[in-house]
């Protein structure tokens, strides 16, 4: 007997920008299994785009809210390279949570000896390096390279493709990258074109996360509640709505 | 000529619990220089105590708000072991920001070859290890040990002292700790008593942070705006008040 | 439009033991997608079981032969914890190759802050630690623990389950493991029972690899031929059959 | 009640060069608290300047002698980037000992995500990298860069400022440095001018050490005598004066 | 009384190329002690040259066969940079086994603060980095640099010398190498000429291994059979000759 | 033609204790080649035994003096586990310098997958761990274990053997050590007896260093003068004798 039931995956764009949500959804729909239903949303609160630690931290409550309010999804995907708030998301539910950053690194690790992450503004390099470090995979990362595109600039597809091409070529030639991870959800959908130009595997992080979320569901695995990812302890979270009170998560 | 002007340091308790704020303030007042004015506050929003990633991420917007609303302080201290949101805090202002976690580690590093962090519930161990890692100091950490006290349990001073004694003794005997960092703001004020019992230096993290904040002010150093800690880019942060919009930070 | 074509995955048991091949196949069939066809084989040459470096190195040519002789599979799985010869396998073809060791670690990394690998004889501990290191994920590994079961002893299911239970409990209690990776293909199929006993996620490495191979196929990704995993250079490989000559791989 | 008693800090220039001692003293006096008394000395023996391991090791006995002979200081500062003999200094007394290298790194760590050390001759790079490693902070170091100035060349202030400017700019542009640590006591006093030129925080290592020594005194912390930094065991140290015999240290 | 008995060292060229075997033998004879007898052989099976993981894994059974069939040698040397199969070789016998890669690194470590490995084709860089990592020495490696010479191209001595000169000079100038390890057995014999050109120590890996094998014999040390390197367990190794059955190794 | 000329190796006991010098000499004479002449000396100045950083730093000038005054030796051995002052020694001359600590680790690395260092007083553990780290080999070190014997207590051979047996057995059983490095020159000569008791290789550090010094001489390799280990720059070293002035080293 094989695993054939339908899945429901909820993707949460970390940014409150609808164009980007649509792009993420398209990338996800393009790779999902027939039996998977994908819904892509964006938070009710938070920055239009995540381009620094400040943005990231203000985005997280809205992201977590999307998890708290959903009792149906079989798995969640955090669609912002940085996997913002992922440890908290894992505490909130037993249902698997996949970050697009970690997903892209695992996929890259199976295709290439070394890979680079190519991403947006110069200032996020430290933030992106910390994200790589959070997965535990560091030795295999050839470099983190930045295009200096703003996140919302990625809506300009041709210019984005051009910038990614140039920076990826530098990563390949100078840093020894043998695959490229697209380090921003806004770059989703450009992987095939870029792959043709570069001649190395290019990982669409959103697509990668969809397949890994399907994998976790297929394996019927739930997040460990042994210690670190236990449900938040019961307490008052001042000035937050009822659905973000730990009590809510236990219902 | 010497540095003698008055300083104003604002301490932000990460937790929204007044008893804890009072305890933090007392520990800070006890070590401040005569010329330093210390004010201790707590956020308007967020969990009563920070005991998991969920708590931490929901506490951060309230913490950052305390920075956004303050144009007078010469330096800020984040008084929750975990230094929640510290990278964002550093982006918001050029005025120095000190975390009590990092402060305690630097002080410990100058007093002992190896030290342990002794902290609250078992479940935070991974979170605390990540905090140590964030400072970049890892080789000198003998262990992270937990008492399994809840954060607010630290208001029971005798029981807390007892638990800290037992667990610290294990860290010294089994892990080779030669100093102890108190890994929770709620443990502030117990360092002297514990030091007498243990015979090794015990670092009160709040007190450590006060001295390092005074140091940064005395050196007239400001946070680097070169790259990572630049001011947040201008954009709309949906559903957040005006003083948390990047525009506000630039005024 | 979604991805819905049929896949063909070839699993290569690293050991030349038929009972084990059958067990691996059963674990794979249990989790494959309806549209996936899984075929499980064992090499024509090599040790009955892999329990040391000597066994591993003598098993590899037979494993690689199974790749050289197969022009149909969409992806390959190396079903021996140790991922024997995986870099060579990746050189031989553009079709994705997944190791069960790496697969189990990526899945564990998405479910738990820290995990342990529980495996067979005491002597393989160093070998297994090197395998963990090969993936690049080290910080997240709580421990490698051994049952001292021989690989073929895992055919005794009850005794194996018993030994895994005891050793996993030690890993959880003493090392801080929050999930368990079953570190031998022969342990496949025991994950659900063990999970019930332990209360933490238990990763069946073969099942994990099936889902990740399906993921790579679904993403239509091929192994990078940029540098490290290029096709082997043309040359004579003395005393090896024609299908293991590099010439063969280029046809 | 606040901490307001007077402190006495003894700074030991590692080099036996008076001009440098005067420069160090000036940098220290400029930042000390009103209640702090700073005395700067140089050893009776040892090299004019420390520019290699040979120099460093021959300087150490003279440095330690300055500690042995002083029963009054509340804290000691080792004013040579390399913190020569600091572990031994910590064994000799319970009074805190601060190295200017470690002090500058802790201060930099609170101001910037990544920093570089800019120092003297090319040949000391390995020595300086080892010093960084000794503090335990490695991940945050963007690079160690050398000007190829000899230590005593730093007495030529304009040329030194020029060289530091050029090399620091390379560190910022190529290595991602966001702050600069001046890696030689002879560079003290140039931080403000250099900061204006570079636009990033520049850490005067001597000044940093003064503030951290004041911090340790203010916290009333003493060096751990638990294990590594115990007093030297009683024994004869052949051909050394009485005040360097372990017996002396116990009086 | 001193150690003066005659030694017999068997060197196994990992490649099945006779010209290379002769070159290795010459390099070994040039440095052996008078009382040492060196015999250099090549496997009966395997690739002409080892230039990727595929080559390496197919070479290993033939290399191990040379150990299984030899009951006389006092020590073995694996003469292929990559030390192919060395863990298995150590399992097969108590007699010491030395790899030329590790040998060259230990020698380099005693002569220079940092060193580079200069080797053959660009594609082996990852493989060579893994070899360095296998020894445990990583901090001291300035870089792995490649000439893009094929292994058998090293038979062209002048061109090889020229390429090594150029690439080594880059390693010295750009990476901070202070010694060079020749990262291919085929480069043996060129160390003196290269050393004259470069002005830094150049380590002939084969020569280094001969001296370390003599050292182990002189110390009368045998490989540990405590755990990892125990004799292979008794079992059938399908389709391999009798002398590669574990049974044979126990006779 | 083979290497057969006579060698002259000078061993410098780091401690100023004659009984220990005699023991070191005996261990060296027992393994030297017939053509090697070994001379063992002790410094004119410094502590009777090295048991903390203070002792080590005061020992170094006397150790370096033994190198400065010797124009005949072909190689030097620093016979104190800690390799005190070895970087300076390498700066002073082109003739090879071998430390007994590093030598024992390289030898152990060729015999066992993991090894432990068993040494003297509890307080030196941090110092010994730093020595291991200095060689760059860290992954292979199972543990540093201490007997709490004072250095000069090792003159009591039976008690020393007993203590080493007990502590080594713990390292083997609990830490996974598969070989033991004797972490003190005073333990020289006990390796064979201990090896018989333990059943794993035991490395006499002095003996190991003799063989590696012979190896370096046999390979005709000299210390790199490229950068880090250049001759000390010309300058006055105040209050030191003429033969420790850099000028002397250049004659």
């Amino acid at each position: 007997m094989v695993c054939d039931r339908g899945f429901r995956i909820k993707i949460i764009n970390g940014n409150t920008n609808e164009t980007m949500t649509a792009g993420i959804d398209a990338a996800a729909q393009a790779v999902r299994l027939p039996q998977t239903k994908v819904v892509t949303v964006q938070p009710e609160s938070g920055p239009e785009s995540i381009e620094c630690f400040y943005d990231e931290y203000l985005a997280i409550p809205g992201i977590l809210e999307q998890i708290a309010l959903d009792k149906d999804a079989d798995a969640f995907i955090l669609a912002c390279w940085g996997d913002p708030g992922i440890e908290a998301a894992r505490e909130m539910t037993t249902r698997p949570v996949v970050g697009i950053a970690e997903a892209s690194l695992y996929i890259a690790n199976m295709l290439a000896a070394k890979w680079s992450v190519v991403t947006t503004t110069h200032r996020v390099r430290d933030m992106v390096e910390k994200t790589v470090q959070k997965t535990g995979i560091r030795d295999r990362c050839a470099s983190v390279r930045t295009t200096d595109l703003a996140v919302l600039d990625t809506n300009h597809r041709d210019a984005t493709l051009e910038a990614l091409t140039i920076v990826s070529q530098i990563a390949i030639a100078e840093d020894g990258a043998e695959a490229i991870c697209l380090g921003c959800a806004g770059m989703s959908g450009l992987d095939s074109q870029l792959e043709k130009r570069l001649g190395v595997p290019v990982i669409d992080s959103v697509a990668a996360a969809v397949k890994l979320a399907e994998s976790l569901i297929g394996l019927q695995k739930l997040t460990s509640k042994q210690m670190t990812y236990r449900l938040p302890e019961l307490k008052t979270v001042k000035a937050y709505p009822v659905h973000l009170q730990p009590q809510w998560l236990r219902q």
Side-chain angles (χ1 to χ4, degrees), chain A:
Chain A
M1 197 211 72
V2 298
C3 178
D4 61 359
R5 80 170 185 82
F7 309 146
R8 188 173 172 281
I9 294 173
K10 180 173 186 175
I11 303 182
I12 306 164
N13 175 13
N15 309 276
T16 56
N17 178 281
E18 292 186 14
T19 312
M20 220 173 135
T21 306
I24 290 168
D25 190 67
Q29 302 297 351
V31 300
R32 70 170 173 83
L33 290 167
Q35 57 269 50
T36 301
K37 186 169 175 207
V38 168
V39 179
T40 309
V41 301
Q42 62 194 49
E44 297 294 317
S45 64
E48 273 184 296
S49 61
I50 299 184
E51 297 178 312
C52 62
F53 287 103
Y54 184 80
D55 292 341
E56 183 164 297
Y57 286 122
L58 294 190
I60 290 173
I63 292 170
L64 301 184
E65 192 171 49
Q66 291 300 320
I67 291 172
L69 290 170
D70 188 316
K71 302 290 188 193
D72 293 332
D74 293 289
F76 297 95
I77 289 174
L78 303 191
C80 174
W81 226 96
D83 300 349
I86 195 162
E87 310 93 331
R90 286 182 173 143
E91 290 169 351
M92 294 170 75
T93 173
T94 56
R95 292 169 288 163
V97 182
V98 176
I100 65 167
E102 61 173 354
S104 66
L105 302 190
Y106 303 145
I107 295 296
N109 238 20
M110 290 187 280
L111 298 171
K114 294 237 175 78
W115 35 262
S116 289
V117 181
V118 178
T119 188
T120 55
T121 56
H122 292 335
R123 69 174 296 170
V124 302
R125 200 167 87 167
D126 185 69
M127 196 163 81
V128 167
E129 287 173 355
K130 283 199 169 69
T131 301
V132 173
Q133 184 175 327
K134 193 160 63 170
T135 64
I137 306 184
R138 247 191 296 190
D139 296 347
R140 303 276 291 269
C141 179
S143 61
V144 171
R145 286 267 179 187
T146 50
T147 54
D148 217 17
L149 287 168
V151 168
L152 297 185
D153 286 350
T154 61
N155 289 332
H156 306 287
R157 307 308 276 174
D158 288 348
T160 301
L161 185 60
E162 210 52 48
L164 286 173
T165 305
I166 293 165
V167 174
S168 297
Q169 283 167 340
I170 295 171
I172 293 166
E174 293 186 13
D175 310 331
E178 306 185 25
I180 299 294
C181 291
L182 295 180
C184 174
M187 293 166 179
S188 276
L190 294 173
D191 59 316
S192 303
Q193 284 168 274
L194 192 58
E195 207 164 76
K196 280 192 199 89
R197 290 181 174 202
L198 298 173
V200 306
V202 176
I203 320 299
D204 180 313
S205 306
V206 171
V210 170
K211 301 320 282 182
L212 295 197
E214 288 175 341
S215 295
L216 290 171
I217 300 170
L219 293 167
Q220 297 181 279
K221 291 297 161 195
L222 302 177
T223 295
S224 176
K225 292 287 146 183
Q226 175 61 26
M227 183 63 70
T228 305
Y229 298 147
R230 284 182 186 175
L231 280 172
E233 312 300 320
L234 289 179
K235 70 185 60 162
T236 301
V237 183
K238 204 175 157 186
Y240 277 91
V242 62
H243 53 262
L244 283 174
Q245 302 300 320
Q247 177 65 34
W248 176 273
L249 303 171
R250 293 174 178 257
Q251 284 162 352

